[in-house]
Amino acid sequence: MSDDDATVPRAGLRLLVVPGVTPTSWLRTWRDRLPHEPLTLVHVDSAEQSAALRDGRADAGLVRLPVDRDHLSAIPLYTETSVVVVPRDHLVTAAEEVTAADLADEVLLVPADDVLGWVDPPGEPSALPTPATTAEAVELVASGVGVLVVPQSLARLHHRRDLTYRPVTDAPTSQIALAWVTDDESDLIEELIGIVRGRTVNSSRGRGGGGEPAADAGAKKKGSAPARGAQDTGRTARAGSQGRPAPGRQGGPRRGGRPAGGKRSR
């Protein structure tokens, strides 16, 4: 970047996103509140997330904890379910969920970009070279040489029709957070904090105004537990597009029916 470029104010916000994170609902809320402030996604691997924020490639990021707390501030949002990826005809598919002990006889593949950091994993280490990426490890699972434990969002990201997965109840988990450089907090970052925390327009500390309450994207995330830092919304945050389907809506009016306790209004 030249000195001239540095003096020109940059419109909008650049949001770093690591693999598996799906910020669709938050992006929609941002566009509704700040239609004249573009929000640009910057995709990086989890291993690069802290460096990418520190060196200015993005203004804020949806990252996997931990991050460099010496330079970055972070708000935990939700914790993902960890799953084991296996062929569809594997024995573990007979159960709805498994434990580490159920994987004791398996060859466990751990890719170089692993985000769980399982200190004492079950099973046997693979005799093959370490897969360079999670995508490469998924290919090995499909070939029948081992199994893979990853956050559920990554299992879905690398979905194959010949593979499936089951939750591992006692495996390490991965926590998603919103992070930014501590000294660089701006009005737009404050606005983003309000959106991911589920603040309404009127309660947001940013500069967006008017409209309906923000959709709590975390509350639509499946297969995850709420992070303590996200509980001020009064709702349950869940990991994006993972886990079991949410229960059906209850108590709403029946299609074509009458309102309870009275006649059909005219």
Side-chain angles (χ1 to χ4, degrees):
M1 181 186 297
S2 67
D3 292 340
D4 291 339
D5 292 336
T7 61
V8 178
R10 184 176 58 248
L13 195 74
R14 297 166 301 163
L15 179 64
L16 178 150
V17 180
V18 296
V21 176
T22 52
T24 307
S25 295
W26 292 324
L27 295 179
R28 186 181 304 117
T29 303
W30 177 278
R31 288 194 295 267
D32 289 344
R33 293 189 185 181
L34 299 166
H36 303 299
E37 295 287 358
L39 184 63
T40 305
L41 298 185
V42 179
H43 295 275
V44 303
D45 293 332
S46 297
E48 296 183 65
Q49 59 187 17
S50 291
L53 289 171
R54 289 195 308 265
D55 64 22
R57 280 179 272 168
D59 304 301
L62 294 170
V63 301
R64 294 188 183 275
L65 295 179
V67 294
D68 174 11
R69 289 301 186 113
D70 290 336
H71 301 92
L72 304 178
S73 296
I75 299 172
L77 299 175
Y78 59 88
T79 300
E80 289 199 66
T81 298
S82 294
V83 301
V84 59
V85 181
V86 296
R88 284 193 172 273
D89 58 355
H90 196 281
L91 288 175
V92 304
T93 60
E96 292 187 0
E97 58 187 25
V98 299
T99 65
D102 296 318
L103 307 178
D105 296 328
E106 303 294 337
V107 173
L108 187 66
L109 301 168
V110 181
D113 61 356
D114 171 64
V115 297
L116 294 179
W118 203 337
V119 176
D120 187 20
E124 304 174 4
S126 173
L128 298 174
T130 299
T133 64
T134 297
E136 187 176 314
V138 169
E139 295 291 331
L140 292 174
V141 173
S143 69
V145 301
V147 301
L148 173 68
V149 178
V150 291
Q152 191 166 340
S153 66
L154 293 182
R156 293 181 67 88
L157 177 65
H158 298 289
H159 171 71
R160 291 174 50 116
R161 297 183 65 181
D162 53 347
L163 299 179
T164 188
Y165 56 82
R166 292 292 185 271
V168 184
T169 58
D170 52 354
T173 56
S174 178
Q175 195 170 28
I176 303 301
L178 176 67
W180 64 93
V181 176
T182 301
D183 296 335
D184 291 346
E185 186 169 336
S186 65
D187 287 346
L188 290 181
I189 290 177
E190 189 61 52
E191 188 72 39
L192 182 62
I193 292 171
I195 289 172
V196 300
R197 280 186 155 176
R199 295 179 193 148
T200 64
V201 173
N202 292 334
S203 66
S204 177
R205 301 172 192 170
R207 48 181 172 159
E212 297 296 321
D216 184 352
K220 299 180 181 179
K221 311 281 184 187
K222 304 175 185 176
S224 67
R228 293 182 180 178
Q231 289 180 347
D232 60 350
T233 64
R235 310 178 191 178
T236 299
R238 304 186 194 175
S241 70
Q242 297 95 22
R244 301 187 181 94
R249 181 169 47 191
Q250 300 178 357
R254 291 178 295 177
R255 186 178 301 174
R258 298 182 179 182
K263 297 181 180 180
R264 186 194 306 271
S265 59
R266 295 180 180 178

